[in-house]
Amino acid sequence: MRTGVSKRIKASVRGLVAGLAAVASLAWVPLAEAQTLASLPTSGLAASITGAARPIAAWTEFCERYASECAVDRNEATSITLTPAIWQTINIVNRRVNKAVHAVTDQDHWNLADRWDLAEDGQGDCEDFQLRKRAMLAEAGLPRRAMRMTVVIDEKGEGHAVLTLITDRGDLILDNKTSAVLPWRQTGYTYIKRESQDAVAWVGLGVAVSPVTTANR
């Protein structure tokens, strides 16, 4: 059983921190670009929790291999307070992982219908992108408890996984289908369930029937 993030992810975070320091030191960055990097999303609503929900089976198996990725530390903050620096970090991680990971189905990758992983070999499907982003953001200092894996129905009517960031400006979504970090209501998805903030469990977000897997790219 693996319990921590890999050396590869830690190296990615070290590179991210160095990159952020370099950006901060560039006095020649145009004012408009600097304002874009620093601009924060407007305040929005949080998704409503409807009760307990059954976990995705592949998530349960993932937690057996990566216990620390699923553990809930009740001493951590339940919400991320967005600052310009944190907002910039979130956007850079989202774009970097979306660019670095090659999208491939679990069937082609592992010969399995659904498998959750950290895309440490540079390949993965939707949930693997989001798990890698969370590992990097947690390593950079954001509270894991405020970053919850979430199951939705996408624009094709298929099961899909995104990462919800619970913030003081509402719930924001990291997705491998776009490098824009969007408020949850603006994604066009139907929200089904997400990881609980209080236990190694899941909570419901609506009344739609849950998909069995999230195995699409």
Side-chain angles (χ1 to χ4, degrees):
M1 177 178 65
R2 303 179 188 180
T3 58
V5 296
S6 70
K7 292 181 180 179
R8 185 187 298 270
I9 290 176
K10 290 183 178 180
S12 296
V13 174
R14 286 195 295 270
L16 171 67
V17 171
L20 290 172
V23 169
S25 69
L26 295 179
W28 50 264
V29 173
L31 178 59
E33 182 179 347
Q35 288 174 334
T36 298
L37 290 173
S39 62
L40 300 176
T42 57
S43 296
L45 297 174
S48 298
I49 294 172
T50 58
R54 184 187 298 274
I56 293 287
W59 173 85
T60 302
E61 190 272 335
F62 169 79
C63 293
E64 293 174 354
R65 289 183 288 117
Y66 293 94
S68 64
E69 291 296 314
C70 301
V72 174
D73 182 355
R74 295 178 69 91
N75 292 318
E76 279 193 322
T78 57
S79 177
I80 298 166
T81 300
L82 288 181
T83 65
I86 289 175
W87 179 237
Q88 183 178 353
T89 298
I90 290 167
N91 278 276
I92 289 175
V93 167
N94 192 50
R95 291 194 299 267
R96 180 169 294 183
V97 173
N98 283 354
K99 183 177 180 180
V101 176
H102 173 66
V104 61
T105 65
D106 288 328
Q107 194 64 54
D108 290 338
H109 194 186
W110 303 107
N111 198 30
L112 294 170
D114 196 18
R115 174 185 165 106
W116 288 38
D117 221 309
L118 291 168
E120 292 175 293
D121 62 354
Q123 301 184 84
D125 65 354
C126 55
E127 68 275 355
D128 308 325
F129 280 80
Q130 318 325 333
L131 287 166
R132 187 172 183 86
K133 292 171 191 176
R134 181 169 70 178
M136 290 179 65
L137 289 169
E139 188 72 12
L142 274 66
R144 186 183 302 277
R145 193 180 180 192
M147 299 185 286
R148 301 287 82 192
M149 290 296 295
T150 304
V151 172
V152 302
I153 301 296
D154 68 7
E155 73 283 356
K156 298 178 181 179
E158 298 176 345
H160 181 53
V162 297
L163 181 64
T164 298
L165 302 188
I166 301 165
T167 82
D168 61 340
R169 292 174 177 262
D171 292 351
L172 304 176
I173 301 301
L174 274 62
D175 192 355
N176 59 298
K177 294 187 178 187
T178 177
S179 287
V181 179
L182 297 173
W184 70 281
R185 286 183 177 273
Q186 293 183 20
T187 62
Y189 297 150
T190 299
Y191 285 76
I192 306 299
K193 57 189 176 183
R194 75 183 183 204
E195 291 173 307
S196 170
Q197 289 190 286
D198 299 315
V200 183
W202 285 65
V203 293
L205 299 173
V207 297
V209 176
S210 173
V212 176
T213 70
T214 56
N216 75 51
R217 291 181 290 177

